[in-house]
Amino acid sequence: MKQSTLLVLNCLADGCFHSGSEIGDAAGVSRAAIWKQLQKLIDIGLDVESVKGKGYRLVGGFEPLERCSIQRGLSVECAALVSEIDLHAEIESTNVNAMKRIAAGNAKGYLCLSESQSSGKGRRGRHWVSPFGHNIYLSFVWEFDGGANQLEGLSLAVGVEVAKVLIACGLQGVALKWPNDILLNGRKLGGILLEMSGDPAGVCQVVIGIGLNVRMNKNMAIDQPWASVSEQLASVSRNKLVSGVLNRLVPMLNTYGSLGFSSYQALWESLDVYRGKKVTILSGNTSIKGVACGVYANGSLRLLVNEEERPIYGGEVSLRLEDDT
Ligand code: BTN
């Protein structure tokens, strides 16, 4: 983003109306050029309102992600485990950046955050809609030295920790959908994408990618029902949310290798939105119908099919309520 556009954004960040000349003075641009700058903000998904006689305002204001603010919110334990905070305005994908950082070496504790992603990655090759300045897109790198089987259930445990943070903030109706969707009253609030690198039998690095809709613009075209934190918590701070997530996530990762998923199984099941419901598991062209009965100690789904239970593993499958398929 160009400096002049950033200056216009800073001027409007308080969410109040500002006249054209006020914006022009703050950004060092002529009155004639202001509309071009405002259009750039609109193009990246920000909600700019113009009212005759009042001027322009950014609906809901704008709180930039700030390294200092995030650092201030970290617990002593967490801060000691975060080695770098890499903050971007625009990026392809924070997960892609984190994988590149792993390839460069010494990435344990690396945190990548961005105000927007041009190619945000979702599960199963899907696109994660990532407009500027509204949400949280973060990727954190951790290293495990006991092989990939130590990681069983990790994405579900991450979901539990994120859900706990949201519940502690006061959100009502937070639930989890296997394998790693975070829901708010049945609509998608966030998603988790883990990517792995290294030796599956030895030292491996994991990128924990978390996308959370905080203040998603209501005009965004998203192909499924979605929710935002701001529906219930209008003035929520993204910086505080990021610190809150890290304060739970990072210490959990530090002990996950020895504790594993079993300590999360009951917690995950207590948040499971589809427990006891008829569901369909889709994998490529095949589908299996059954009843969701919670998860096994390795994080696979317990699916009751013709009175027989069988495990369903994450990866490329997706789960739907039977009535929705
Ligand atoms: C899903 O499909 O539910 C998973 C979505 C994960 C999105 C996050 S946003 C931050 C990180 N970077 C990415 O490109 N994807 C993850």
Side-chain angles (χ1 to χ4, degrees):
M1 186 181 288
K2 277 198 174 156
Q3 185 66 11
S4 49
T5 320
L6 263 178
L7 290 169
V8 173
L9 179 58
N10 285 342
C11 176
L12 296 175
D14 60 6
C16 301
F17 279 102
H18 294 272
S19 68
S21 57
E22 210 180 316
I23 299 171
D25 288 349
V29 294
S30 67
R31 280 203 69 168
I34 291 167
W35 181 242
K36 211 166 134 199
Q37 299 299 333
L38 292 173
Q39 192 55 48
K40 283 189 185 155
L41 298 182
I42 294 168
D43 290 346
I44 58 172
L46 293 172
D47 195 357
V48 178
E49 188 185 21
S50 134
V51 174
K52 221 171 168 203
K54 281 185 163 180
Y56 308 93
R57 71 165 181 150
L58 205 52
V59 180
F62 173 68
E63 179 214 19
L65 289 173
E66 282 170 334
R67 189 178 288 109
C68 291
S69 173
I70 293 167
Q71 261 161 347
R72 255 199 318 274
L74 296 183
S75 66
V76 175
E77 184 188 7
C78 178
L81 299 169
V82 175
S83 58
E84 181 183 344
I85 300 181
D86 186 15
L87 188 53
H88 296 256
E90 303 164 70
I91 206 174
E92 178 189 347
S93 146
T94 56
N95 266 30
V96 168
N97 238 51
M99 289 300 273
K100 285 185 188 157
R101 189 64 182 71
I102 289 173
N106 237 350
K108 186 174 180 183
Y110 167 82
L111 171 70
C112 185
L113 285 158
S114 188
E115 291 285 7
S116 68
Q117 301 184 114
S118 56
S119 300
K121 293 166 72 175
R123 282 185 68 241
R124 306 170 67 233
R126 294 176 70 164
H127 175 63
W128 187 255
V129 178
S130 312
F132 185 93
H134 294 88
N135 303 317
I136 291 172
Y137 318 114
L138 80 75
S139 298
F140 185 71
V141 177
W142 200 246
E143 190 169 275
F144 293 85
D145 58 10
N149 53 9
Q150 274 195 347
L151 308 180
E152 279 181 341
L154 178 60
S155 68
L156 280 74
V158 173
V160 169
E161 293 298 1
V162 175
K164 279 193 204 166
V165 174
L166 297 169
I167 292 167
C169 287
L171 269 193
Q172 304 213 338
V174 177
L176 297 173
K177 176 186 159 197
W178 188 88
N180 40 22
D181 283 359
I182 301 158
L183 304 183
L184 184 64
N185 295 317
R187 287 167 288 129
K188 187 143 172 174
L189 181 67
I192 293 154
L193 180 68
L194 263 50
E195 296 189 73
M196 205 193 305
S197 167
D199 179 0
V203 179
C204 55
Q205 291 83 20
V206 183
V207 173
I208 296 102
I210 302 174
L212 206 54
N213 298 337
V214 179
R215 201 168 277 114
M216 184 69 98
N217 187 329
K218 55 187 180 308
N219 302 320
M220 277 294 144
I222 302 180
D223 60 0
Q224 59 181 317
W226 57 270
S228 271
V229 175
S230 63
E231 293 173 16
Q232 292 182 28
L233 305 173
S235 55
V236 65
S237 152
R238 288 189 300 153
N239 289 301
K240 284 195 182 139
L241 261 183
V242 169
S243 314
V245 167
L246 293 170
N247 282 339
R248 296 215 65 103
L249 174 74
V250 179
M252 177 276 271
L253 293 170
N254 201 27
T255 54
Y256 197 79
S258 48
L259 296 181
F261 181 67
S262 52
S263 54
Y264 280 91
Q265 189 178 0
L267 274 171
W268 193 91
E269 289 183 339
S270 69
L271 291 162
D272 177 9
V273 70
Y274 284 169
R275 186 141 193 217
K277 300 242 162 73
K278 286 185 182 169
V279 297
T280 302
I281 302 294
L282 303 168
S283 171
N285 292 331
T286 59
S287 67
I288 316 170
K289 285 185 191 301
V291 175
C293 301
V295 288
Y296 292 101
N298 63 4
S300 57
L301 178 75
R302 288 171 57 189
L303 189 71
L304 188 65
V305 183
N306 299 330
E307 286 168 38
E308 214 174 278
E309 242 182 48
R310 60 160 98 167
I312 304 289
Y313 297 94
E316 293 308 297
V317 301
S318 88
L319 179 152
R320 302 268 188 280
L321 252 193
E322 197 167 296
D323 301 340
D324 290 351
T325 49

